[in-house]
Amino acid sequence: MTGKKRLPDSELIVMLAIWKSGAEKIHTGEILELLRKSGYTAWKTQTVQNMLIRLTEKNYLICEKLGRLNFYTPLVSIREYQEMETNTLLERFYEGSAKSLFAALAEKTTLSPEEAEEIRRLLFREAGK
Protein backbone atom coordinates (compact mmCIF):
# COMPACT_ATOMS: atom_id res chain seq x y z
CA MET A 1 0.00 0.00 0.00
CA THR A 2 2.91 2.30 -0.46
CA GLY A 3 1.88 5.73 -1.59
CA LYS A 4 -1.79 5.32 -0.74
CA LYS A 5 -3.44 8.13 1.16
CA ARG A 6 -6.07 7.97 3.84
CA LEU A 7 -9.57 8.10 2.37
CA PRO A 8 -12.08 10.81 3.26
CA ASP A 9 -15.04 9.40 5.23
CA SER A 10 -17.45 9.43 2.27
CA GLU A 11 -15.07 7.45 0.04
CA LEU A 12 -14.29 5.08 2.89
CA ILE A 13 -18.01 4.39 3.32
CA VAL A 14 -18.19 3.39 -0.34
CA MET A 15 -15.10 1.16 -0.03
CA LEU A 16 -16.50 -0.48 3.11
CA ALA A 17 -19.70 -1.32 1.23
CA ILE A 18 -17.66 -2.86 -1.58
CA TRP A 19 -15.40 -4.82 0.78
CA LYS A 20 -18.33 -6.07 2.86
CA SER A 21 -20.15 -7.25 -0.26
CA GLY A 22 -17.44 -9.86 -0.74
CA ALA A 23 -17.96 -9.59 -4.49
CA GLU A 24 -14.99 -9.82 -6.78
CA LYS A 25 -16.67 -7.33 -9.13
CA ILE A 26 -19.61 -5.14 -8.27
CA HIS A 27 -21.56 -2.66 -10.38
CA THR A 28 -22.72 0.81 -9.44
CA GLY A 29 -26.35 -0.22 -8.87
CA GLU A 30 -25.32 -2.92 -6.40
CA ILE A 31 -23.11 -0.45 -4.55
CA LEU A 32 -25.99 2.04 -4.33
CA GLU A 33 -28.28 -0.68 -3.00
CA LEU A 34 -25.76 -1.67 -0.32
CA LEU A 35 -25.29 1.97 0.70
CA ARG A 36 -29.04 2.53 0.94
CA LYS A 37 -29.43 -0.62 3.07
CA SER A 38 -26.74 0.83 5.36
CA GLY A 39 -28.73 4.03 5.85
CA TYR A 40 -27.21 6.27 3.17
CA THR A 41 -30.57 6.85 1.50
CA ALA A 42 -29.98 10.53 0.65
CA TRP A 43 -26.93 9.83 -1.52
CA LYS A 44 -27.70 10.43 -5.17
CA THR A 45 -26.45 8.15 -7.94
CA GLN A 46 -24.22 10.89 -9.38
CA THR A 47 -22.58 11.47 -5.98
CA VAL A 48 -21.67 7.80 -5.65
CA GLN A 49 -20.47 7.68 -9.26
CA ASN A 50 -18.18 10.66 -8.57
CA MET A 51 -16.76 8.89 -5.51
CA LEU A 52 -16.17 5.74 -7.57
CA ILE A 53 -14.30 7.81 -10.16
CA ARG A 54 -12.12 9.33 -7.42
CA LEU A 55 -11.46 5.90 -5.89
CA THR A 56 -10.44 4.64 -9.32
CA GLU A 57 -8.11 7.63 -9.83
CA LYS A 58 -6.56 6.93 -6.42
CA ASN A 59 -6.00 3.28 -7.44
CA TYR A 60 -8.29 1.83 -4.80
CA LEU A 61 -10.56 0.41 -7.51
CA ILE A 62 -10.33 -0.63 -11.11
CA CYS A 63 -13.31 0.00 -13.38
CA GLU A 64 -14.33 -2.34 -16.18
CA LYS A 65 -17.19 -1.49 -18.52
CA LEU A 66 -19.27 -4.51 -19.47
CA GLY A 67 -22.12 -3.55 -21.74
CA ARG A 68 -23.80 -0.55 -20.17
CA LEU A 69 -22.60 -1.26 -16.63
CA ASN A 70 -19.43 -0.22 -14.85
CA PHE A 71 -18.03 -2.99 -12.65
CA TYR A 72 -15.57 -2.16 -9.89
CA THR A 73 -12.91 -4.42 -8.42
CA PRO A 74 -10.97 -3.44 -5.29
CA LEU A 75 -7.21 -3.12 -5.76
CA VAL A 76 -6.72 -2.76 -2.00
CA SER A 77 -8.09 -5.25 0.52
CA ILE A 78 -9.83 -4.19 3.70
CA ARG A 79 -6.97 -5.82 5.64
CA GLU A 80 -4.38 -3.70 3.81
CA TYR A 81 -6.36 -0.54 4.49
CA GLN A 82 -6.84 -1.47 8.16
CA GLU A 83 -3.08 -1.98 8.53
CA MET A 84 -2.38 1.41 6.96
CA GLU A 85 -4.91 3.15 9.22
CA THR A 86 -3.61 1.35 12.30
CA ASN A 87 -0.03 2.37 11.50
CA THR A 88 -1.16 5.96 10.98
CA LEU A 89 -3.04 5.96 14.29
CA LEU A 90 -0.10 4.41 16.10
CA GLU A 91 2.37 6.97 14.74
CA ARG A 92 0.17 10.08 15.04
CA PHE A 93 -1.34 9.57 18.46
CA TYR A 94 0.86 7.07 20.29
CA GLU A 95 4.33 7.96 18.99
CA GLY A 96 4.71 4.45 17.62
CA SER A 97 4.07 2.83 21.00
CA ALA A 98 1.81 -0.21 20.75
CA LYS A 99 1.88 -0.36 24.56
CA SER A 100 0.28 3.09 24.79
CA LEU A 101 -2.36 2.14 22.23
CA PHE A 102 -3.22 -1.07 24.11
CA ALA A 103 -3.39 0.85 27.39
CA ALA A 104 -5.83 3.36 25.88
CA LEU A 105 -7.97 0.56 24.49
CA ALA A 106 -7.92 -1.36 27.76
CA GLU A 107 -9.14 1.69 29.69
CA LYS A 108 -12.18 2.24 27.45
CA THR A 109 -13.08 -1.23 26.20
CA THR A 110 -14.79 -4.13 27.90
CA LEU A 111 -13.70 -7.44 26.44
CA SER A 112 -15.53 -10.71 26.65
CA PRO A 113 -13.51 -13.58 28.15
CA GLU A 114 -13.22 -15.06 24.64
CA GLU A 115 -11.86 -11.80 23.19
CA ALA A 116 -9.37 -11.46 26.05
CA GLU A 117 -8.16 -15.03 25.48
CA GLU A 118 -7.78 -14.43 21.75
CA ILE A 119 -5.71 -11.30 22.42
CA ARG A 120 -3.53 -13.25 24.86
CA ARG A 121 -2.94 -15.91 22.20
CA LEU A 122 -2.04 -13.28 19.62
CA LEU A 123 0.33 -11.46 21.96
CA PHE A 124 2.10 -14.58 23.14
CA ARG A 125 2.35 -15.95 19.61
CA GLU A 126 4.03 -12.70 18.55
CA ALA A 127 6.35 -12.72 21.57
CA GLY A 128 7.48 -16.24 20.69
CA LYS A 129 8.77 -15.22 17.25
Side-chain angles (χ1 to χ4, degrees):
M1 283 234 0
T2 345
K4 295 272 191 261
K5 292 188 178 178
R6 185 172 190 270
L7 294 174
D9 288 346
S10 58
E11 292 174 21
L12 180 57
I13 289 166
V14 172
M15 283 303 298
L16 286 169
I18 293 169
W19 286 321
K20 287 178 183 176
S21 78
E24 188 175 311
K25 291 181 181 185
I26 186 168
H27 66 77
T28 309
E30 292 171 320
I31 296 167
L32 278 162
E33 186 179 322
L34 290 169
L35 290 167
R36 289 186 176 128
K37 284 181 182 176
S38 296
Y40 298 96
T41 54
W43 286 16
K44 299 200 180 324
T45 302
Q46 188 61 48
T47 303
V48 174
Q49 287 172 332
N50 288 336
M51 284 188 257
L52 290 167
I53 289 167
R54 287 198 305 263
L55 288 163
T56 301
E57 290 170 350
K58 292 177 181 180
N59 292 318
Y60 276 88
L61 297 172
I62 190 166
C63 178
E64 181 181 4
K65 189 159 188 77
L66 298 172
R68 296 181 58 190
L69 298 176
N70 285 336
F71 283 83
Y72 294 90
T73 302
L75 295 174
V76 175
S77 72
I78 190 169
R79 182 76 177 148
E80 290 169 320
Y81 192 78
Q82 287 170 333
E83 287 174 10
M84 183 190 78
E85 284 283 17
T86 301
N87 289 336
T88 300
L89 176 74
L90 192 60
E91 292 303 319
R92 279 190 184 165
F93 295 102
Y94 298 99
E95 298 174 347
S97 169
K99 178 183 166 191
S100 296
L101 173 59
F102 279 114
L105 289 171
E107 282 180 21
K108 298 291 179 188
T109 307
T110 304
L111 298 175
S112 70
E114 295 81 17
E115 291 171 320
E117 182 55 36
E118 179 63 21
I119 290 170
R120 270 190 219 90
R121 275 195 296 262
L122 289 170
L123 288 173
F124 288 117
R125 183 184 72 201
E126 291 297 318
K129 284 186 177 179

